[in-house]
Amino acid sequence: MKNNKNNFEFIKNKFESEAPEAPASLSENEIKNKIEGKKAHKIIKIKKRFPIKAVASCAACFVLVFALLTSGILKTGTGSTEPNEIQSFKSYDEIEGYVSKINRISLFSYGNLYGNLKGDNLIAEESPSSDGASSSSHAETYRQVENVDEADIIKTDGEYIYYAYNSSVYIYRANGDEPYQTGVIDIDDNGYISEMYLADGILTVIYDNYTYSQEEDFIQGSTVAQSFDVSAAESPREISSYNQSGYYSSSRMIDGRIYLITGCYLYDSSQVIPSISENSKTSPIPCTDIYYTGRPSTASYTVVSAFNPETGEKTASAKAFFGGADEVYCNESNLYITSFESTSNDIAALYRADSLSFINNGKTHIIKIALGENELKITAKGEVSGTVNNQFSLDEYDGYLRIAVTDYSDDSGESESAVYILDENLEETGSITGIAKGEHIEAVRFAKETAYVITYKQTDPLFVIDLSNPKEPKMLGSVEITGFSSMLIPLENGRILGIGFETEQSEYGEVRSGIKLVLFDASSPAEPKIISTQVLDGFDSEAQYTHKAIAVNNEKGYYAIPVNFYDSQNQKTGVAAFTVENDEIKITNTFINNAAQSYSYTQRCTFAGDYVYSIALSNAPQIFAYHYE
């Protein structure tokens, strides 16, 4: 927390020296508490060390708060455009005027708020046998949709393991009981690696690149995708570089093409034209490929492009649109990008006990982009009331988009959840609302014509929803359990595996007390039930927060997740492996790194052949190997 405190002090000093005095309610502690309170139920994870990144993140937190405060005011377009109508600009001058108009009506000036910290791109951050798992002898990143690869910080081809940490990629030989480091790829000193792809002997490293201009006193950033030929892994060779305006939001890889999504807030109307750089050849995105709708909430845009990592050249004209990028769902045909906009005008509510409801009271905007082999086309825009939990809150099936949200728009401020079904034009065809009043969504999984939704307040209800009729979705049944699941994996015969948290009551209220694995039986949807549970008491796992931390070995029939344990007496870190057989969850192995350095933390694990490998972080990554029997 020390770095965050320093960053808040820096921004606070800038604010005090170059802008009117901030009210007490906007002090460091008050703002920090409000922001962190939104995700208070999440356990704080280890932060990567990079000072400029930390400053950007802190600044983005302020942007989030002020964007929320001003969202009720920023309701203007360039003309009479309807809220869901999409139009492109006719000139760059028109774009600059559009941004200036938004900034002029803003309640707070971003330039005054940050003093001279004004970078042009500053922002924050089915069954195991099908979509998510690996059927080969080595692990693949667990993914939401079959044939749509997702980036991660660890990749393996079965012979070598690549792990991204800060500004380096560590390369290890998966050598049975004795894995060893063979080399390291160091990227730009100003870079900070987000994720990677590995396909056909090409490793593509995606990182945010920061440039600080002391003369002009601002931070400027972009996203770089740098590709290396690792067919000879011990001597990687750079083969291409692709650069895009904005900080990294998300990406997908389909048929050898990487779709890159970046976003940026605009603080200076003279820095509003996004660009693409192919192997150092930079060109602005044409104005006719930059879009707007009638109701922008902030001066920000999202950039989407497709490129070939082998050549570093785009495969389609990049597109940009005004609006943010919170969550991304992608299949082989369409890419959906969501952004949340608060619609509350009761600013005073932010400083009352119901501030969480204020922050989450609003709409989720959805942009649909059709993915052609050589074309990106923005085809529709829609919106629903409420906020999504993560990418698994969205799914497309038979031409319909299904989206699950938690909605705080009730006059009482009490939350409830809903599932909406939208047609190809993102117009609502059906919905089921009023789910679990007073609770919020923690996990969603769609399996063809069925939705499984986990909500949570003190218990963990699993709801089974029939989506076979897009006009009339129906609630079929539910079952409750203590704690909650944050990830759902549909299995065969109506079974659903839940990975999440065990909870218990303490003198301070309900607290998280371990990792909970649950097997639900929804073969009779009207009467779902729990048939097996396992708890790793006192442990936590990255798999509770991201699906990418789950390794699924179909060949040997097990799951592996990184685990960590801390108390006042000791610390443990390593891997837990478990199976789901005959309607029973069995924890088959807990591999603990007794040799791990003090205060180490395991973020990921993987497998190759008969071995499970984990990477523990302390001052530097350490690799550990375990023979799976």
Side-chain angles (χ1 to χ4, degrees):
M1 197 58 103
K2 180 179 180 181
N3 284 341
N4 281 340
K5 183 176 181 181
N6 291 338
N7 294 330
F8 273 98
E9 287 295 334
F10 170 76
I11 295 173
K12 181 182 176 185
N13 291 337
K14 284 287 186 180
F15 184 95
E16 291 177 345
S17 64
E18 304 185 31
E21 182 178 357
S25 57
L26 295 182
S27 67
E28 168 192 301
N29 290 333
E30 286 297 314
I31 291 295
K32 188 162 60 175
N33 290 339
K34 297 297 180 184
I35 296 167
E36 293 178 351
K38 182 183 177 184
K39 294 291 185 182
H41 62 283
K42 298 289 189 183
I43 296 173
I44 296 174
K45 292 175 272 187
I46 288 179
K47 300 291 190 297
K48 295 182 180 179
R49 303 176 180 89
F50 193 76
I52 296 179
K53 174 72 172 183
V55 172
S57 296
C58 277
C61 288
F62 280 102
V63 169
L64 170 63
V65 172
F66 285 100
L68 291 170
L69 292 173
T70 61
S71 59
I73 297 174
L74 301 179
K75 300 288 187 183
T76 182
T78 59
S80 58
T81 309
E82 293 299 320
N84 286 345
E85 185 178 352
I86 302 169
Q87 293 188 9
S88 63
F89 289 95
K90 298 180 177 62
S91 69
Y92 291 128
D93 287 341
E94 186 180 10
I95 297 173
E96 292 184 9
Y98 184 76
V99 174
S100 295
K101 184 176 181 181
I102 296 173
N103 285 336
R104 279 199 306 272
I105 63 172
S106 176
L107 180 62
F108 292 94
S109 167
Y110 296 137
N112 287 339
L113 175 62
Y114 295 107
N116 290 326
L117 183 67
K118 59 174 185 178
D120 64 319
N121 297 323
L122 198 59
I123 66 164
E125 200 178 300
E126 318 285 4
S127 71
S129 60
S130 61
D131 49 25
S134 170
S135 58
S136 64
S137 60
H138 64 269
E140 297 175 1
T141 299
Y142 189 92
R143 50 185 180 254
Q144 182 179 8
V145 177
E146 188 175 5
N147 298 325
V148 179
D149 197 9
E150 299 188 33
D152 195 19
I153 59 174
I154 190 169
K155 293 287 183 178
T156 182
D157 57 10
E159 186 175 0
Y160 291 89
I161 298 169
Y162 303 85
Y163 186 81
Y165 180 65
N166 282 346
S167 299
S168 301
V169 178
Y170 294 81
I171 305 172
Y172 302 96
R173 180 71 181 268
N175 190 44
D177 286 319
E178 298 181 353
Y180 58 90
Q181 183 176 330
T182 64
V184 62
I185 299 173
D186 293 318
I187 62 164
D188 192 306
D189 289 340
N190 294 321
Y192 181 90
I193 299 175
S194 298
E195 296 181 305
M196 305 179 294
Y197 286 98
L198 177 64
D200 301 323
I202 297 175
L203 181 74
T204 301
V205 181
I206 301 173
Y207 61 92
D208 285 331
N209 184 63
Y210 303 89
T211 302
Y212 174 70
S213 172
Q214 188 171 10
E215 180 179 349
E216 299 183 29
D217 193 20
F218 72 89
I219 299 171
Q220 189 173 22
S222 62
T223 297
V224 180
Q226 199 167 359
S227 295
F228 300 85
D229 181 348
V230 292
S231 55
E234 298 187 10
S235 54
R237 177 175 59 87
E238 181 182 352
I239 56 175
S240 71
S241 180
Y242 186 86
N243 190 303
Q244 181 168 307
S245 291
Y247 290 117
Y248 181 66
S249 177
S250 189
S251 64
R252 296 293 189 273
M253 180 181 236
I254 304 173
D255 293 333
R257 295 184 298 274
I258 292 178
Y259 295 90
L260 184 61
I261 301 103
T262 58
C264 34
Y265 282 94
L266 306 175
Y267 307 98
D268 186 339
S269 60
S270 67
Q271 302 284 337
V272 299
I273 309 304
S275 63
I276 300 295
S277 180
E278 303 167 88
N279 297 309
S280 300
K281 183 180 179 181
T282 302
S283 57
I285 295 177
C287 60
T288 52
D289 286 328
I290 302 176
Y291 296 79
Y292 68 93
T293 63
R295 292 186 175 180
S297 59
T298 57
S300 64
Y301 59 74
T302 296
V303 181
V304 182
S305 71
F307 70 96
N308 182 330
E310 184 174 6
T311 64
E313 298 174 349
K314 62 185 180 185
T315 61
S317 295
K319 298 293 187 290
F321 59 87
F322 276 84
D326 295 334
E327 299 295 341
V328 171
Y329 167 79
C330 183
N331 57 31
E332 292 182 89
S333 300
N334 294 300
L335 173 70
Y336 294 88
I337 300 174
T338 73
S339 63
F340 179 76
E341 176 192 358
S342 174
T343 56
S344 177
N345 291 312
D346 184 9
I347 296 177
L350 181 61
Y351 308 107
R352 300 199 303 263
D354 59 349
S355 59
L356 183 63
S357 299
F358 170 87
I359 290 174
N360 288 287
N361 178 13
K363 296 181 179 181
T364 292
H365 299 277
I366 311 159
I367 293 288
K368 179 181 180 181
I369 302 175
L371 307 179
E373 185 173 349
N374 298 301
E375 183 182 26
L376 294 172
K377 185 177 181 181
I378 298 178
T379 57
K381 182 186 184 299
E383 62 181 38
V384 296
S385 179
T387 179
V388 300
N389 182 52
N390 57 29
Q391 68 186 63
F392 288 91
S393 296
L394 295 93
D395 176 84
E396 185 184 55
Y397 179 74
D398 199 23
Y400 292 91
L401 178 70
R402 295 86 63 86
I403 179 169
V405 297
T406 300
D407 191 356
Y408 293 83
S409 62
D410 187 274
D411 291 338
S412 67
E414 188 176 40
S415 63
E416 61 179 45
S417 296
V419 175
Y420 294 94
I421 302 177
L422 311 179
D423 64 16
E424 62 180 5
N425 297 315
L426 298 184
E427 298 290 341
E428 182 182 329
T429 64
S431 66
I432 181 166
T433 60
I435 302 172
K437 283 187 175 293
E439 302 192 1
H440 60 270
I441 289 177
E442 283 287 354
V444 181
R445 200 66 188 265
F446 295 92
K448 295 185 178 179
E449 296 179 344
T450 305
Y452 302 102
V453 179
I454 293 282
T455 62
Y456 178 71
K457 186 173 183 181
Q458 289 185 328
T459 57
D460 169 10
L462 170 74
F463 294 96
V464 182
I465 302 172
D466 177 14
L467 304 176
S468 58
N469 184 347
K471 296 182 179 180
E472 295 183 6
K474 297 179 181 179
M475 179 68 70
L476 297 179
S478 65
V479 63
E480 291 187 351
I481 190 172
T482 58
F484 62 92
S485 299
S486 52
M487 179 65 194
L488 295 174
I489 302 176
L491 308 178
E492 297 178 347
N493 302 320
R495 273 50 172 178
I496 304 100
L497 172 65
I499 300 174
F501 298 83
E502 177 67 314
T503 59
E504 62 182 28
Q505 292 295 324
S506 73
E507 60 181 311
Y508 305 106
E510 190 170 58
V511 297
R512 299 175 180 187
S513 58
I515 302 168
K516 189 163 193 174
L517 308 173
V518 184
L519 186 61
F520 299 95
D521 178 3
S523 56
S524 297
E527 297 180 348
K529 57 186 178 181
I530 297 146
I531 55 178
S532 182
T533 63
Q534 287 286 350
V535 174
L536 291 168
D537 190 46
F539 281 88
D540 71 84
S541 173
E542 285 282 323
Q544 295 167 303
Y545 306 99
T546 174
H547 60 287
K548 297 178 183 182
I550 304 170
V552 187
N553 191 324
N554 280 321
E555 191 174 89
K556 297 187 180 296
Y558 69 83
Y559 298 80
I561 59 174
V563 295
N564 300 279
F565 177 91
Y566 302 91
D567 65 17
S568 59
Q569 302 297 320
N570 57 57
Q571 173 221 344
K572 303 174 185 176
T573 185
V575 176
F578 61 94
T579 60
V580 181
E581 295 179 340
N582 301 319
D583 285 346
E584 185 178 3
I585 301 172
K586 291 183 179 180
I587 297 176
T588 56
N589 292 283
T590 51
F591 305 112
I592 301 301
N593 307 331
N594 294 322
Q597 298 177 17
S598 179
Y599 304 109
S600 63
Y601 185 90
T602 302
Q603 287 186 296
R604 294 290 190 273
C605 60
T606 188
F607 63 83
D610 296 330
Y611 287 84
V612 177
Y613 299 90
S614 71
I615 307 290
L617 296 178
S618 183
N619 293 326
Q622 289 180 281
I623 189 167
F624 295 88
Y626 324 94
H627 188 267
Y628 186 89
E629 298 178 357

Short mmCIF file of all heavy atoms in Angstrom, two decimals, residues 126 395 397 402 445-452 467 490:
data_model
loop_
_atom_site.label_atom_id
_atom_site.label_comp_id
_atom_site.label_asym_id
_atom_site.label_seq_id
_atom_site.Cartn_x
_atom_site.Cartn_y
_atom_site.Cartn_z
N GLU A 126 -17.34 -24.49 -21.16
CA GLU A 126 -18.40 -25.50 -20.83
C GLU A 126 -17.78 -26.75 -20.16
O GLU A 126 -17.21 -26.63 -19.13
CB GLU A 126 -19.17 -26.07 -22.03
CG GLU A 126 -19.55 -25.07 -23.03
CD GLU A 126 -20.72 -24.13 -22.68
OE1 GLU A 126 -21.29 -24.13 -21.61
OE2 GLU A 126 -21.03 -23.39 -23.57
N ASP A 395 -22.96 -14.05 -23.38
CA ASP A 395 -22.86 -15.24 -24.23
C ASP A 395 -23.79 -15.07 -25.42
O ASP A 395 -24.89 -14.53 -25.30
CB ASP A 395 -23.25 -16.49 -23.43
CG ASP A 395 -23.25 -17.74 -24.29
OD1 ASP A 395 -22.17 -18.32 -24.47
OD2 ASP A 395 -24.33 -18.13 -24.79
N TYR A 397 -25.80 -17.11 -28.44
CA TYR A 397 -26.26 -18.44 -28.84
C TYR A 397 -27.42 -18.29 -29.82
O TYR A 397 -28.39 -17.58 -29.57
CB TYR A 397 -26.72 -19.25 -27.62
CG TYR A 397 -27.23 -20.63 -27.95
CD1 TYR A 397 -26.34 -21.65 -28.31
CD2 TYR A 397 -28.59 -20.92 -27.90
CE1 TYR A 397 -26.80 -22.92 -28.62
CE2 TYR A 397 -29.06 -22.19 -28.21
CZ TYR A 397 -28.16 -23.19 -28.57
OH TYR A 397 -28.61 -24.45 -28.87
N ARG A 402 -27.08 -13.10 -24.70
CA ARG A 402 -27.65 -13.18 -23.35
C ARG A 402 -26.68 -12.47 -22.41
O ARG A 402 -25.47 -12.68 -22.48
CB ARG A 402 -27.84 -14.64 -22.91
CG ARG A 402 -28.87 -15.39 -23.75
CD ARG A 402 -28.30 -16.02 -25.02
NE ARG A 402 -27.31 -17.03 -24.72
CZ ARG A 402 -27.60 -18.34 -24.47
NH1 ARG A 402 -28.85 -18.75 -24.51
NH2 ARG A 402 -26.64 -19.20 -24.22
N ARG A 445 -22.66 -18.72 -15.91
CA ARG A 445 -22.21 -19.56 -17.03
C ARG A 445 -23.41 -19.94 -17.88
O ARG A 445 -24.44 -20.39 -17.35
CB ARG A 445 -21.50 -20.82 -16.53
CG ARG A 445 -20.59 -21.47 -17.59
CD ARG A 445 -19.42 -20.57 -17.94
NE ARG A 445 -18.64 -21.03 -19.06
CZ ARG A 445 -17.53 -21.76 -18.94
NH1 ARG A 445 -17.09 -22.12 -17.75
NH2 ARG A 445 -16.86 -22.13 -20.00
N PHE A 446 -23.29 -19.72 -19.16
CA PHE A 446 -24.33 -20.09 -20.10
C PHE A 446 -23.94 -21.40 -20.78
O PHE A 446 -22.78 -21.57 -21.19
CB PHE A 446 -24.51 -19.01 -21.16
CG PHE A 446 -25.03 -17.71 -20.62
CD1 PHE A 446 -24.16 -16.70 -20.23
CD2 PHE A 446 -26.40 -17.48 -20.52
CE1 PHE A 446 -24.63 -15.50 -19.73
CE2 PHE A 446 -26.89 -16.28 -20.02
CZ PHE A 446 -26.01 -15.28 -19.62
N ALA A 447 -24.87 -22.32 -20.89
CA ALA A 447 -24.64 -23.59 -21.57
C ALA A 447 -25.81 -23.82 -22.51
O ALA A 447 -26.87 -24.30 -22.10
CB ALA A 447 -24.51 -24.73 -20.57
N LYS A 448 -25.62 -23.40 -23.77
CA LYS A 448 -26.66 -23.49 -24.79
C LYS A 448 -27.93 -22.79 -24.33
O LYS A 448 -27.94 -21.56 -24.18
CB LYS A 448 -26.89 -24.94 -25.18
CG LYS A 448 -25.68 -25.58 -25.85
CD LYS A 448 -25.96 -26.99 -26.34
CE LYS A 448 -24.74 -27.56 -27.05
NZ LYS A 448 -24.98 -28.95 -27.53
N GLU A 449 -29.01 -23.52 -24.05
CA GLU A 449 -30.30 -22.90 -23.73
C GLU A 449 -30.53 -22.74 -22.23
O GLU A 449 -31.65 -22.48 -21.80
CB GLU A 449 -31.43 -23.72 -24.35
CG GLU A 449 -31.39 -23.73 -25.87
CD GLU A 449 -32.50 -24.56 -26.49
OE1 GLU A 449 -33.12 -25.35 -25.75
OE2 GLU A 449 -32.77 -24.39 -27.70
N THR A 450 -29.46 -22.86 -21.45
CA THR A 450 -29.58 -22.77 -20.00
C THR A 450 -28.57 -21.76 -19.45
O THR A 450 -27.44 -21.68 -19.94
CB THR A 450 -29.35 -24.13 -19.33
OG1 THR A 450 -30.25 -25.09 -19.89
CG2 THR A 450 -29.58 -24.05 -17.83
N ALA A 451 -29.00 -21.00 -18.45
CA ALA A 451 -28.09 -20.10 -17.74
C ALA A 451 -27.98 -20.55 -16.29
O ALA A 451 -28.99 -20.89 -15.66
CB ALA A 451 -28.60 -18.66 -17.80
N TYR A 452 -26.77 -20.56 -15.77
CA TYR A 452 -26.52 -20.83 -14.36
C TYR A 452 -25.98 -19.54 -13.74
O TYR A 452 -24.98 -19.00 -14.20
CB TYR A 452 -25.52 -21.96 -14.18
CG TYR A 452 -25.95 -23.26 -14.85
CD1 TYR A 452 -25.40 -23.65 -16.07
CD2 TYR A 452 -26.90 -24.08 -14.26
CE1 TYR A 452 -25.80 -24.83 -16.69
CE2 TYR A 452 -27.31 -25.26 -14.88
CZ TYR A 452 -26.75 -25.63 -16.09
OH TYR A 452 -27.14 -26.79 -16.70
N LEU A 467 -33.55 -20.65 -21.16
CA LEU A 467 -33.48 -19.60 -22.17
C LEU A 467 -33.92 -20.10 -23.54
O LEU A 467 -33.64 -19.47 -24.56
CB LEU A 467 -32.04 -19.06 -22.27
CG LEU A 467 -31.41 -18.54 -20.98
CD1 LEU A 467 -29.97 -18.14 -21.23
CD2 LEU A 467 -32.20 -17.37 -20.42
N PRO A 490 -19.61 -25.98 -16.52
CA PRO A 490 -20.58 -27.03 -16.84
C PRO A 490 -19.87 -28.33 -17.23
O PRO A 490 -18.91 -28.31 -18.02
CB PRO A 490 -21.35 -26.45 -18.02
CG PRO A 490 -21.12 -24.98 -17.95
CD PRO A 490 -19.74 -24.82 -17.41
#
